[in-house]
Amino acid sequence: MRNIDVHKLIDGAKFNRFHWQVLFWCALIIIFDGYDLVIYGVVLPVLMKEWGLTPIQAGTLGSYALFGMMFGALIFGPMSDRFGRKKVIALCVILFSLFTFLNGFARDVTEFAVCRFLAGLGIGGVMPNVVALMTEYSPKKLRTTLVAIMFSGYSVGGMLSAGLGMYLIPAYGWSSVFFVAGLPLLLLPAILYLLPESIGFLLHAKRDQEAAILLSRVEGSFVPQPGDRYDFPTGKTGHVPLVALFKHGRALSTVMFWLAFFMCLLMVYALASWLPKLMTQAGYGLGSSLSFLLVLNLGAIFGAVGGGVVADRLHLKTVLMIFFVIGSVSISLLGYKSPTSVLYVLVALAGATTIGSQILLYAYAAQFYPMAIRSTGIGWASGVGRSGAILGPIVGGTLLAMAMPLHFNFLFFAIPGAIAAFAVSLIARNALHAPDEEEPLAFAGEIGVVTE
């Protein structure tokens, strides 16, 4: 009889075909997720004109999906700890794909808002689950990089949304970009078949044989034997998962995670919703304004992947603080008259350090909390942060309605970045863990260090 240290086996595994498979499907799901989320900012200038929406009405309408995302993260994050990540991920894909597709048939604001809210449930619910799944299967030395690459799919989806909008909306109307969102439903059987289930969930459900097969794919040199015992947390803790987020010295860090998520998401969704409209008011045409949204998401890819690579060598905390400061400065400068090339650089920097920071925050939370409460920790940080995302479009609409100078709008969007940098500075560099929880995941720059 052997005792198999599952964490050690996964941490020391060499990146192989199995990891590519997990990365591909998780990233693809996030691409669909990002497309469905960013789509509102793409159609906003047209909707405001066609339906005669005021800025405040448009901002409020944009927040319905974000309300759904908040509830989705709070509901589906903890749910996967009980019912398995794969089933919950599939359910979320159905929700956000189906209702975004149906959004194209909306005839008025009410129907549009209902569809956006229901789609938001799936958009918000899938994020903490794919982050937790990718984190669980990633080798230790590549963990942050792989999560960042996976989550950069959000920006790829945003680019697809903006790029398709530039061609489809003038030719076929705003509904056409929503119809494209139904494509993931065709891939659902493949997702259910090829996406692996969580090792922790399988062991907790006493499905050791399935877990053993997956472990042999994670590490090719591992050959399961009859009678193997797997040393891995089963999800049991001495506390209710939500309560456990505040135990063992985690209370301040948990609250600061929530504040950082709140401020970061406020910046991200204020920009994603209002950047095309603000640039239209600054004198750019619809196509040029949407190109700024495309550049914003392109910058986010480089920020997420580059930040992940750097964070695998430095501490995530340090990288996040630097990113938030750069994000605040670049956004505040967007409101001043500059050559178009300079504006593109600033927008790219803003995308790299705001959307990129959001992705790195997910990676930080995933590494901070033990497996038993990981989805709960990520889900609640994301869920509480969604209130910032909800406020983003509303704040942007309110500022626009006040008809202030353009640079004041961007200055207000930049302030949350400074607050987020302060919040991250108060998060503990290492998490303390109870005896019935697994040892914390090592952070970059601290490989091999175990905190008691």
Side-chain angles (χ1 to χ4, degrees):
M1 182 179 292
R2 300 182 301 175
N3 286 324
I4 308 299
D5 187 334
V6 176
H7 269 304
K8 186 175 181 180
L9 189 68
I10 295 175
D11 284 353
K14 293 183 179 179
F15 188 80
N16 59 34
R17 183 177 179 181
F18 175 80
H19 297 102
W20 271 116
Q21 180 179 318
V22 178
L23 177 61
F24 173 80
W25 286 106
C26 287
L28 188 63
I29 290 167
I30 290 296
I31 288 173
F32 299 146
D33 200 57
Y35 180 93
D36 290 5
L37 183 57
V38 175
I39 201 170
Y40 182 71
V42 173
V43 302
L44 179 59
V46 179
L47 278 183
M48 289 185 71
K49 183 178 180 180
E50 188 171 315
W51 286 356
L53 301 177
T54 67
I56 294 179
Q57 288 174 326
T60 303
L61 184 60
S63 293
Y64 279 99
L66 304 174
F67 268 111
M69 290 178 69
M70 179 177 67
F71 288 110
L74 295 177
I75 294 169
F76 293 115
M79 184 184 291
S80 67
D81 289 329
R82 296 185 59 189
F83 301 107
R85 303 206 200 287
K86 185 157 74 169
K87 291 179 181 177
V88 173
I89 288 172
L91 175 60
C92 290
V93 171
I94 293 172
L95 280 172
F96 70 67
S97 297
L98 177 61
F99 286 102
T100 302
F101 174 78
L102 293 177
N103 228 145
F105 295 100
R107 294 165 296 182
D108 54 41
V109 171
T110 302
E111 292 180 356
F112 191 96
V114 170
C115 286
R116 288 301 285 166
F117 175 80
L118 293 173
L121 290 174
I123 295 172
V126 81
M127 287 184 180
N129 284 295
V130 291
V131 171
L133 191 67
M134 191 73 248
T135 299
E136 185 173 341
Y137 279 114
S138 298
K140 181 167 61 178
K141 292 183 179 180
L142 295 172
R143 186 163 287 134
T144 304
T145 300
L146 291 179
V147 172
I149 291 172
M150 177 211 72
F151 227 128
S152 66
Y154 165 87
S155 302
V156 175
M159 291 174 61
L160 284 173
S161 188
L164 287 175
M166 292 169 67
Y167 294 100
L168 292 178
I169 293 175
Y172 304 104
W174 63 266
S175 295
S176 58
V177 291
F178 287 94
F179 295 148
V180 175
L183 292 177
L185 294 173
L186 303 177
L187 293 174
L188 195 61
I191 292 172
L192 285 169
Y193 180 72
L194 295 172
L195 192 69
E197 184 53 271
S198 159
I199 287 285
F201 174 76
L202 292 175
L203 294 176
H204 178 47
K206 309 299 183 185
R207 293 157 61 179
D208 289 14
Q209 187 173 358
E210 294 177 54
I213 293 172
L214 282 176
L215 286 173
S216 68
R217 297 176 64 194
V218 173
E219 175 50 70
S221 63
F222 172 68
V223 180
Q225 296 179 10
D228 282 348
R229 296 179 61 183
Y230 298 96
D231 181 17
F232 196 74
T234 61
K236 296 179 180 178
T237 67
H239 309 284
V240 175
L242 179 58
V243 175
L245 299 181
F246 298 89
K247 296 291 184 178
H248 309 293
R250 290 189 287 253
L252 177 62
S253 295
T254 291
V255 174
M256 290 301 104
F257 266 122
W258 292 2
L259 180 59
F261 267 83
F262 178 95
M263 293 298 169
C264 181
L265 291 174
L266 192 156
M267 284 196 302
V268 167
Y269 292 107
L271 277 175
S273 297
W274 287 106
L275 184 60
K277 181 62 179 177
L278 287 171
M279 290 306 180
T280 300
Q281 284 204 338
Y284 295 91
L286 178 62
S288 298
S289 298
L290 289 178
S291 70
F292 283 107
L293 192 59
L294 194 149
V295 170
L296 182 78
N297 285 281
L298 179 63
I301 296 174
F302 288 97
V305 177
V309 171
V310 174
D312 272 329
R313 290 160 177 78
L314 303 175
H315 199 284
L316 267 166
K317 177 176 180 174
T318 304
V319 178
L320 276 166
M321 290 173 63
I322 294 172
F323 267 37
F324 278 127
V325 171
I326 295 175
S328 290
V329 174
S330 59
I331 292 172
S332 63
L333 292 175
L334 281 175
Y336 296 95
K337 191 171 182 60
S338 303
T340 304
S341 58
V342 174
L343 284 178
Y344 277 127
V345 171
L346 290 174
V347 169
L349 276 175
T353 53
T354 55
I355 301 173
S357 293
Q358 177 197 7
I359 295 167
L360 294 179
L361 270 175
Y362 274 102
Y364 196 1
Q367 295 187 26
F368 185 84
Y369 294 109
M371 195 283 298
I373 57 172
R374 184 165 298 143
S375 283
T376 301
I378 299 171
W380 272 85
S382 177
V384 173
R386 288 301 155 195
S387 55
I390 291 166
L391 280 177
I394 297 174
V395 168
T398 303
L399 292 173
L400 215 65
M402 294 170 66
M404 293 191 300
L406 185 65
H407 68 273
F408 276 102
N409 292 275
F410 287 108
L411 182 61
F412 274 100
F413 290 166
I415 291 173
I419 300 173
F422 174 74
V424 170
S425 72
L426 297 180
I427 297 175
R429 290 180 69 85
N430 298 289
L432 299 178
H433 291 257
D436 62 340
E437 299 168 346
E438 89 274 23
E439 291 179 350
L441 297 174
F443 289 99
E446 297 171 355
I447 301 300
V449 178
V450 176
T451 302
E452 300 295 341

